[in-house]
Amino acid sequence: MQDTLIARAQAWLAEDPDPDTRAELSALIEAGDEAALAERFAGTLQFGTAGLRGELGAGPMRMNRSVVIRAAAGLAAYLRARGQGDGLVVVGYDARYKSADFARDTAAVMTGAGLRAAVLPRPLPTPVLAFAIRHLGAVAGVEVTASHNPPRDNGYKVYLGDGSQIVPPADAEIAAEIAAVASLHDVPRPESGWEILDDSVLDAYLARTDAVLAPGSARTARTVYTAMHGVGKDVVLAAFARAGFPEPVLVAEQAEPDPAFPTVAFPNPEEPGAMDLAFATARKADPAPDLVIANDPDADRCAVAVPDGSGDWRMLRGDEVGALLAAHLVSRGARGTFAESIVSSSLLGRIAGAAGLGYEETLTGFKWISRVEGLRYGYEEALGYCVDPDGVRDKDGVTAALAITELASGLKEQGRTLLDLLDDLAVEHGLHATDQLSVRVADLSVIADAMRRLRENPPTRLAGLAVTRAEDLSEGTEALPPTDGLRYTLDGARVIVRPSGTEPKLKCYLEAVVPVADHAGLPAARARAAETLAALRTDLAEAAGL
C-alpha cells in the first residue's frame, strides 16, 4: 500500500507546475507521512454541477494548479467536441489564495486548445463574470472562487454560453473529459495569447444595474456595507453612486480583499459573529443608517439587517428578503415567472399566485433557477437573489443590494420600514416562518447515516403534527429531477433534509405557516410559529440520530 501511495505521489510531483505544492508534497514523501499522503491521494476531487471546490494543497484531492489545468483541459475538450472549438471562454476570479494563478492557467489551457480566452481585469464579483459571458457572446465562462467557504478553500465554477452554471448531463460529460487527460505534459499551455479585458466589461455591467431600479424612484435610504474581506466593495460603491443613493458607510476592517479573512471564523454573513463588526459600525454611524448590507466574498450573495426598534439590529432571513424583493417587483408591475429552490419559503408561491404570475420550484442552486422559462425573479434562502435575469442569469449580490435599498427608500418616504412590509405580507398570505437545522461534520459518514436512518424509518409525526406526505426526492417527482433529499409535508409545516452540495454539512430546512387575521394577531402567530420550529428541530434531530 505504502509503495503504491509513494509511487502515485511521485508521479504527481513530476508533473506539478507549482513550486508551493511541489515543496509540500516533497516534504510529505520524504517524511513518509502515509496518513497525509493517503488523504491527498484517496481519490480525486469530483467535478459536479458546482464545478470543483476544496481545500488548497497538493494532490488530486486538493485544489491546486494541476487539478485546475486538468479541469480546464476537460472543459476545452468538451467545448471542442460540441463544435465550439473556436469560441470565446471568459475567466473571472476572486481574491483568494491562488485564484489569479488558477485563472491564468485556465486562460493558457483554453488558448493552447485553440479556443479564445479573455480574463477579467482584476478580482471582481462573480456576477460580473456571469454578465460578461452573454455580453461578450462567449461559449463558456469560468469563475475561480470558493464563495463563502473557509480561507483554506478555493473552487472552480463553470458556466456555459447561456450564462447559467452547468447542470447534468454537462457536468458528467466534462468530468469524463477531465478523467481522459492522461498527463499534464499533454496539455499545451502557451505563455501568452489570451486577452486581459479592460474595464469596458465592468462599465457595461454597471450600466446594466440601472435596469434594476424604477426611473424616478426614491433613493434616500442610508446603508452600512461590508464586503466581508471580499471583492464587492468597489463595484457596490460604483453602483450606488450611479443610482444616486447616499454613499454607503463601509465596515473599514472588512472593506478590502484579504484571503485570510482575519475578522471572521467563516466569511459567510449567515454564520454566527460574521456580522458583528457591521452592527458595531451601524451603531456608531451618524446619521443612523436604515439598512446594513453584506456581500459574501465573491459578492453573489446579499445579506440584509434592519433596526429592530429597540436600538439594535436584526438580520433578515434569506426567505424574508426573498419575499420583500418579490413584493417590490410585484408593486412595480413585474411580469413573468417567479422561481425559487424547493428549500426556500413557500410564501413566494403565494405572492406570485395573488399577483397572477407564474411560479416554479426547482432543485437547490441557481443553476436550476436560472433555467426557468420566462424567469423574471428567482431566489434561494441562502441569500441568493436574481432580480435582473436578462442581465445576470445567476444570483447577484450587487443588484440585490440596489433593489432592497430602493424598496427601503420608498418605504422610508411613507414613514415605514421593511419590517412593516413583512407584517403586511404575513397578514395577507399567512405568517411564513423558516429556520434551519444545519450540522457541520468532520466525518461525512454521519450525513450518510442520518439520511439512511430517515429513509428506513420515516417520521410519521413531527412537532406534534402528522406527516401527511413523505417524499424521497432521490426518486424524482413530476416537477423535479432526482436529488439526494427528503421532503415531509405536514399540516401547517414543511421539512426538507439534504446534504450540502458544497460543504460537509447536513441541512434541514424547516417552515411553519400560521394564518393571521389581522396585525393584532401577529405576536401570537409568531410565538406559535417559533414553538413549532423549535419542536421540529428537536424531533427531526432525534429522528435522524443527530
Side-chain angles (χ1 to χ4, degrees):
M1 162 66 183
Q2 185 172 20
D3 291 351
T4 319
L5 194 57
I6 296 289
R8 285 186 67 204
Q10 285 171 332
W12 185 273
L13 182 64
E15 291 188 348
D16 191 340
D18 189 330
D20 294 339
T21 42
R22 283 177 62 81
E24 176 192 328
L25 195 49
S26 297
L28 292 175
I29 293 170
E30 209 171 297
D33 190 336
E34 198 173 330
L37 287 169
E39 218 178 77
R40 286 159 176 75
F41 287 86
T44 57
L45 269 189
Q46 288 305 298
F47 184 92
T49 53
L52 292 166
R53 208 179 280 190
E55 190 175 338
L56 290 162
M61 284 296 288
R62 295 284 187 269
M63 280 298 295
N64 51 62
R65 290 182 60 197
S66 298
V67 163
V68 164
I69 290 165
R70 286 174 181 275
L75 174 60
Y78 169 87
L79 294 170
R80 290 173 66 178
R82 272 145 197 81
Q84 297 176 316
D86 58 351
L88 173 68
V89 178
V90 192
V91 184
Y93 59 104
D94 67 11
R96 284 176 178 266
Y97 297 118
K98 298 285 180 186
S99 286
D101 294 343
F102 296 167
R104 178 188 164 85
D105 282 331
T106 300
V109 170
M110 295 302 160
T111 304
L115 288 124
R116 293 176 294 126
V119 183
L120 292 182
R122 59 185 168 280
L124 285 167
T126 294
V128 177
L129 180 276
F131 168 83
I133 294 165
R134 294 167 78 197
H135 178 69
L136 297 173
V139 296
V142 169
E143 176 71 15
V144 179
T145 180
S147 191
H148 56 278
N149 273 39
R152 63 180 181 274
D153 289 3
N154 212 330
Y156 200 79
K157 279 185 188 176
V158 176
Y159 297 74
L160 294 181
D162 61 356
S164 295
Q165 291 179 55
I166 53 168
V167 294
D171 56 341
E173 290 164 359
I174 295 169
E177 296 284 9
I178 294 169
V181 178
S183 164
L184 289 195
H185 299 313
D186 301 336
V187 180
R189 282 187 294 129
E191 287 295 310
S192 61
W194 56 90
E195 181 186 0
I196 304 292
L197 294 166
D198 61 20
D199 273 359
S200 59
V201 164
L202 177 58
D203 293 342
Y205 168 81
L206 286 167
R208 177 72 209 181
T209 63
D210 299 348
V212 174
L213 305 173
S217 62
R219 313 275 168 98
T220 54
R222 297 186 174 278
T223 55
V224 163
Y225 172 75
T226 176
M228 205 67 68
H229 299 295
V231 297
K233 182 198 75 173
D234 291 347
V235 178
V236 166
L237 290 181
F240 270 63
R242 279 184 71 94
F245 287 115
E247 186 178 349
V249 174
L250 297 178
V251 179
E253 301 94 330
Q254 298 174 335
E256 299 304 327
D258 186 339
F261 303 107
T263 68
V264 287
F266 287 94
N268 177 355
E270 293 177 294
E271 292 282 346
M275 296 290 286
D276 288 356
L277 282 170
F279 295 156
T281 303
R283 288 184 203 108
K284 290 184 293 199
D286 185 21
D290 303 292
L291 296 173
V292 171
I293 289 175
N295 285 141
D296 67 339
D298 68 326
D300 64 350
R301 297 170 195 245
C302 177
V304 181
V306 294
D308 67 0
S310 72
D312 218 330
W313 288 82
R314 167 162 107 71
M315 271 282 282
L316 297 180
R317 301 191 68 84
D319 284 317
E320 292 176 314
V321 177
L324 287 167
L325 288 171
H328 184 41
L329 291 169
V330 166
S331 74
R332 283 178 31 191
R335 307 309 301 163
T337 298
F338 282 16
E340 64 180 336
S341 60
I342 54 170
V343 299
S344 305
S345 170
S346 57
L347 176 55
L348 184 69
R350 305 262 182 112
I351 293 171
L357 299 177
Y359 168 72
E360 274 196 44
E361 278 189 319
T362 74
L363 293 185
T364 310
F366 258 84
K367 55 188 176 280
W368 299 106
I369 293 170
S370 65
R371 285 182 160 71
V372 166
E373 192 82 17
L375 181 69
R376 176 58 188 88
Y377 168 64
Y379 98 92
E380 60 180 2
E381 52 71 46
L383 311 183
Y385 314 95
C386 174
V387 294
D388 178 27
D390 289 343
V392 174
R393 205 153 271 274
D394 196 7
K395 55 185 177 288
D396 183 344
V398 180
T399 49
L402 289 171
I404 201 74
T405 308
E406 178 185 49
L407 173 57
S409 298
L411 291 166
K412 184 178 181 177
E413 299 297 292
Q414 302 164 27
R416 286 161 49 79
T417 69
L418 294 177
L419 294 180
D420 293 327
L421 180 53
L422 283 172
D423 286 351
D424 293 349
L425 292 172
V427 172
E428 186 176 352
H429 303 292
L431 177 72
H432 290 62
T434 56
D435 199 2
Q436 201 182 112
L437 170 63
S438 183
V439 184
R440 188 182 290 273
V441 300
D443 178 1
L444 289 175
S445 70
V446 173
I447 293 175
D449 289 348
M451 295 298 288
R452 178 183 48 73
R453 184 167 167 156
L454 288 169
R455 284 190 168 105
E456 289 174 0
N457 297 294
T460 55
R461 292 183 78 78
L462 292 167
L465 304 170
V467 175
T468 56
R469 190 174 179 196
E471 297 167 278
D472 187 341
L473 299 176
S474 66
E475 297 164 7
T477 72
E478 278 181 27
L480 299 169
T483 186
D484 187 8
L486 302 162
R487 177 162 62 181
Y488 305 111
T489 304
L490 304 95
D491 188 17
R494 186 201 63 191
V495 172
I496 295 173
V497 184
R498 60 177 280 274
S500 168
T502 54
E503 297 175 274
K505 279 182 175 181
L506 181 68
K507 292 186 162 185
C508 311
Y509 303 85
L510 319 172
E511 179 172 39
V513 182
V514 182
V516 193
D518 52 31
H519 283 75
L522 282 167
R526 285 206 179 89
R528 187 170 142 203
E531 276 174 31
T532 301
L533 291 172
L536 284 173
R537 286 173 67 95
T538 303
D539 292 358
L540 191 64
E542 189 178 328
L546 296 169

